[in-house]
Amino acid sequence: MNLNIRLLICCCFFINLLAAQEEIENPGQYSEDPESVYFNLESFYPIGLGNSPYAEIYNFDPGYALDFNWFVKPKFTLGARYSFFRGYVEDKSKIGNISNTKFHLFGITRGYYQALDKNWNLHYKLGIGAVLNRHRAPEDHFSDEGGKTWASVEFSRRLDRTLGFFIKTGLDYEFLHINSSPEVESYLNSNFLVNLGLGIRIYFQNPGG
């Protein structure tokens, strides 16, 4: 099993332990409510890190994302995420004759929600998903597939019962399945990104806030 997937499973197990401890310390406080959900409409800016194509070759446009978050317990969430951004190749010497790439992510998340007071809250999330990168070259189109794990934190302000806004930061690790020569394969297949984002949050209920 991939090391990154094992690390994510361990982190999710740790969050589940926190949930169990919370239930022991506060018995009887949880009552199931099917309306305990919210959506994030997000714009973010990806920044490549380290010795990788995303840091050295691409120039990225701002991206867009839609998150769904469901409170399985008052402080713990399960969710889904779709994101999209576009990158333009500045240095073709290391990656070939690609002009631009469209990056798609489909993933799931596990999170911990901390209400600071009635209006302010933090949401910590871990995620894992599948990526599809569609490349455009002058005479060809092709795709690469892989996976991604990430961790993020959102700082949010509620405006009323339904709407809020948030800022966030996150760290992504993307692992692709590109077959190439041994000397460049590890370079092409491993990428780290920092994402800085902001957006609108649409609530159906505010748990704990």
Side-chain angles (χ1 to χ4, degrees):
M1 184 183 297
N2 186 283
L3 176 61
N4 302 286
I5 296 176
R6 290 202 297 267
L7 289 173
L8 185 70
I9 291 172
C10 291
C11 291
C12 290
F13 179 71
F14 179 70
I15 290 179
N16 287 328
L17 287 179
L18 288 177
Q21 184 66 27
E22 183 79 17
E23 188 169 339
I24 292 172
E25 294 178 355
N26 301 282
Q29 289 192 5
Y30 171 65
S31 59
E32 186 173 348
D33 189 335
E35 295 183 349
S36 294
V37 300
Y38 74 77
F39 294 86
N40 281 345
L41 303 176
E42 177 190 338
S43 177
F44 64 92
Y45 188 77
I47 303 170
L49 297 178
N51 177 30
S52 71
Y54 291 3
E56 299 178 343
I57 296 173
Y58 279 96
N59 181 28
F60 295 118
D61 282 346
Y64 304 94
L66 173 65
D67 282 5
F68 167 78
N69 300 271
W70 170 46
F71 289 87
V72 293
K73 293 178 181 289
K75 293 186 178 182
F76 295 89
T77 63
L78 289 175
R81 177 176 175 84
Y82 168 74
S83 70
F84 165 82
F85 63 97
R86 189 195 305 263
Y88 297 89
V89 175
E90 294 187 321
D91 182 359
K92 297 183 179 181
S93 64
K94 295 182 179 180
I95 203 171
N97 196 26
I98 296 172
S99 57
N100 65 76
T101 303
K102 296 178 180 178
F103 300 87
H104 301 266
L105 165 71
F106 305 87
I108 56 174
T109 61
R110 186 80 161 102
Y112 177 77
Y113 178 99
Q114 181 181 3
L116 303 177
D117 60 25
K118 184 178 180 180
N119 296 316
W120 295 94
N121 60 78
L122 291 167
H123 195 186
Y124 306 92
K125 289 193 284 188
L126 298 169
I128 186 169
V131 296
L132 176 64
N133 300 339
R134 297 185 179 274
H135 308 288
R136 182 182 181 89
E139 298 179 356
D140 193 15
H141 298 77
F142 61 98
S143 300
D144 291 321
E145 297 178 353
K148 180 178 283 190
T149 60
W150 68 92
S152 66
V153 58
E154 301 167 3
F155 182 54
S156 177
R157 172 69 160 84
R158 172 182 282 277
L159 300 176
D160 57 29
R161 184 172 177 81
T162 304
L163 293 176
F165 68 89
F166 67 92
I167 58 174
K168 69 171 290 187
T169 185
L171 178 65
D172 298 2
Y173 173 62
E174 184 173 301
F175 43 98
L176 300 172
H177 306 304
I178 300 173
N179 294 319
S180 184
S181 60
E183 58 269 18
V184 299
E185 190 168 289
S186 61
Y187 174 77
L188 295 175
N189 284 325
S190 298
N191 292 278
F192 284 94
L193 288 164
V194 168
N195 291 310
L196 305 176
L198 55 84
I200 297 172
R201 181 175 290 180
I202 304 173
Y203 289 94
F204 289 85
Q205 183 182 6
N206 180 22

